[in-house]
Amino acid sequence: MHIDTHNHFAVPEYIDLLLNRNTFPYMERSGDDIIFHVSDMDSYTMPAGMFRLETRVNDMDEAGVDMHVMSCIVPAGEVADDPVLNVELAAAANEGIAKIQKDNPDRFLGMGTLPLLDPDAAVKELDRAVNDLGLRSMMLTSNVAGKQLHEPDLWPIYERAEELGVVMMIHPSWPVMAKHLEGWTMAVNMGFLFDSSAAMMRIILSGVMEKYPNLEFVLCHLGSTLPFLMGRLNRTGGPRAGHWGENDKGPWEYFKRVHIDTVSRLRPAIMFARELMGNDMIMFGTDYPYTTIPPMKADVTELDLPEDDRNAILGGNAARLFGIEGG
């Protein structure tokens, strides 16, 4: 079974909320298209596979992808400093994705999202998403209107997620350093990965992974920049080496517990990250529909790997992590 663990969808419930807004973030219709206005630095026409399920299924079938672990569109509500909108969008996304999972259990496994601007509401939504809607994993954006993922008021979310056995995927949001990266799409192509790298490091260095040792994390986009910076981040000795507080473990002791996906478009990078993390920690992903599926899948199928290792990346590792039968 070929399982794509990194892809995004905008459910009708979510779109309707954003169509009824006229300040960022908002959406508008243009003929058969939907234009997504994320911020004053980012607007784009959504690909058909972002909001038309039949297009997505056709693309999956043509590329030989059996299942999508489907997460919500990003960025959206997390760029607006509006806790009420944050709660509304999370609830809408979770209900819509859960319905798709229920109607198509052999093709889609839903990934929920949480309104992190209101931590109490986020814990309640986590319980609802898991216990009432049947979602098994959550996508956390790397910041929520600038709020960072290591902040103490979010720790009850991690505690409850560990209790429920929920997998947490960290995905980039609009980077806090976006103005510094203005122009040439650097905010997206570089800044997104800087932001998710910083988010993961904050989770590691703040002690979240030490406090909740059974909580599983996925860091998108081949682990963002961290596999390639881990030697520098983990160094000790010297006046500017890492300082890990009361914990004597360097970041690598935690990062090696983090799962990553193959979204990169650079095969030597995939091979390096696989060698660093181990074959069992890397999963097939495409970032569809921001990309097309075939070249992203070819980046795995054409690697010089033992067949068992390739099959594990294409589906076996994801089946084990997300509890997918038949994977």
Side-chain angles (χ1 to χ4, degrees), residues 168-295:
M168 295 292 211
M169 182 179 83
I170 299 176
H171 188 282
S173 179
W174 198 248
V176 293
M177 63 185 304
K179 290 296 183 183
H180 180 62
L181 297 170
E182 193 167 4
W184 303 286
T185 65
M186 286 197 300
V188 173
N189 292 327
M190 292 176 62
F192 271 35
L193 300 194
F194 293 162
D195 211 67
S196 56
S197 296
M200 188 77 251
M201 282 298 293
R202 288 175 181 276
I203 286 173
I204 289 172
L205 296 177
S206 67
V208 169
M209 293 185 71
E210 175 72 15
K211 177 74 170 178
Y212 308 111
N214 296 315
L215 183 55
E216 301 275 13
F217 283 96
V218 178
L219 182 58
C220 292
H221 301 104
L222 203 63
S224 296
T225 68
L226 293 190
F228 313 98
L229 298 178
M230 191 48 60
R232 180 179 177 86
L233 294 169
N234 206 58
R235 66 181 180 171
T236 58
R240 301 179 73 184
H243 299 283
W244 318 134
E246 296 179 2
N247 192 353
D248 61 359
K249 299 177 185 176
W252 170 241
E253 291 303 310
Y254 300 96
F255 187 63
K256 65 186 180 182
R257 290 167 34 195
V258 175
H259 305 263
I260 63 176
D261 61 48
T262 58
V263 176
S264 168
R265 291 316 325 272
L266 188 64
R267 295 179 190 181
I270 296 172
M271 292 296 282
F272 168 76
R274 172 184 171 272
E275 181 178 357
L276 177 72
M277 304 301 294
N279 199 80
D280 290 348
M281 301 300 286
I282 186 167
M283 303 177 293
F284 170 51
T286 64
D287 211 1
Y288 175 91
Y290 294 109
T291 63
T292 56
I293 299 174

Side-chain angles (χ1 to χ4, degrees), residues 11 13-14 17-18 21 25 72 76-96 112-126 128-129 133 138 141 144-145 147 154 157:
V11 296
E13 297 89 339
Y14 200 83
L17 280 173
L18 292 177
R21 293 174 51 81
C72 181
E78 71 272 11
V79 302
D81 189 7
D82 183 345
V84 174
L85 175 65
N86 201 225
V87 170
E88 291 175 343
L89 285 171
N94 293 340
E95 288 162 11
T113 189
L114 297 173
L116 299 182
L117 288 178
D118 186 337
D120 291 339
V123 172
K124 292 177 182 177
E125 183 61 21
L126 175 60
R128 186 180 80 99
L133 300 179
M138 295 290 140
T141 53
V144 186
K147 184 180 180 68
L154 299 181
I157 300 169

